[in-house]
Amino acid sequence: MNQLTKGIFQRFSDNPILTKDIWPYEINSVFNPGSILLEDGSTLLFCRVEDKTGKSHLTKAISKDGLHHWKIDENPTFLPNYDIHDSWGVEDPRITYLEELKKYAIVYTAYGKPGPSVALTLTKDFIHFERMGTILQADDKDAALFPKKIKGRYVMVHRPRTDSGSHMWISYSNDLIHWGDNKPMIETRAGSFWDANKIGLATPPIETEGGWLVLYHGVKNTSAGAVYRIGLALFDLENPEICIKRGAEWVFAPETFYERVGDVGNVVFPCGYVILSDRDTIHLYYGAADTCIGVAMGKISNMLAWLHEQ
Ligand code: BMA
């Protein structure tokens, strides 16, 4: 492993782990995967795959150790419906296992003429999908469910674009379909900050004793284009719209060649992690430069300690 980013995350030495060159069918790029640990301990990545028309679909890749020997579906696993909401593709899946339904909930961006919207599908096996369709209207994206109900309701983070900017919001639902009680969580910071121009959820929230640990991406617009980096924040367990801590600095940023250079350079974009058996180490899976997929290792305890120093 190299030590490009000191401290919280270390990149896997064999990054990138998934590229278009090893894909079983012809594609433009593979990036921004959702991820989940399966019952047998293997890691499933649900990857955003962009074809040569420019539209994205989702395809799964499974590895025993989450690092090597990926078994990739021979054909797209999940295609758009090609209706008004997703005629331009499906993107950026984030996966949460819902224990009470015994199903995986995949929240993804449906992209069509109205703009990006938030869509949901449920699955038990990543073969058959219950398509629930669009659950939040355009322009909205960067969404994921919390792993459990809070005060009897499902909870979702998302990023609507409003006249006041692109900030993180939270919404509540009794049935996963109808969402309301919308509340702001955190906003972009201004001026020269690394998260001055847009923010959005990176991975589904992680439950810890001291609160919900949230990794989010921040965008800074520069004269050379946007830079996508990752920061940390902690939210109240019972009232998850209340931010307890927010790091001033980013903790993960594009630094290597494959993160700096690609279809959209200077982007790291995680949509999922898996927590290993020590219940502390995570594998963070991320899209690099909208072109390939990398993994970085970190510890929940280090992230929390770092946040508490803020
Ligand atoms: C965001 C999303 C991501 C993408 C990123 C950088 O708005 O569309 O899918 O990785 O831009 O292009």
Side-chain angles (χ1 to χ4, degrees), residues 31-32 48 91-92 94 109 141-142 159 198 217 219 226 228 264-265 267-269 271 287 289-290:
F31 52 113
N32 302 2
R48 171 174 172 189
E91 307 178 349
D92 305 350
R94 294 174 175 90
T109 303
K141 63 195 315 195
D142 298 326
R159 208 287 300 284
K198 282 191 219 173
H217 64 256
V219 181
Y228 280 70
V264 185
V267 175
V268 288
F269 203 91
C271 293
D290 285 9

Side-chain angles (χ1 to χ4, degrees), residues 22-57:
I22 61 161
W23 220 248
Y25 54 96
E26 203 162 323
I27 61 172
N28 175 61
S29 50
V30 52
F31 52 113
N32 302 2
S35 60
I36 203 95
L37 205 60
L38 297 174
E39 266 175 32
D40 68 359
S42 54
T43 297
L44 180 146
L45 298 189
F46 213 40
C47 307
R48 171 174 172 189
V49 176
E50 193 179 287
D51 67 23
K52 289 188 173 177
T53 70
K55 292 178 187 175
S56 293
H57 60 266

Side-chain angles (χ1 to χ4, degrees), residues 84-119:
I84 176 89
H85 300 291
D86 69 2
S87 56
W88 293 337
V90 289
E91 307 178 349
D92 305 350
R94 294 174 175 90
I95 311 170
T96 305
Y97 185 67
L98 297 177
E99 181 64 44
E100 60 179 34
L101 297 183
K102 303 254 181 292
K103 288 176 186 169
Y104 300 98
I106 307 165
V107 178
Y108 59 95
T109 303
Y111 187 32
K113 273 193 188 157
S117 59
V118 176

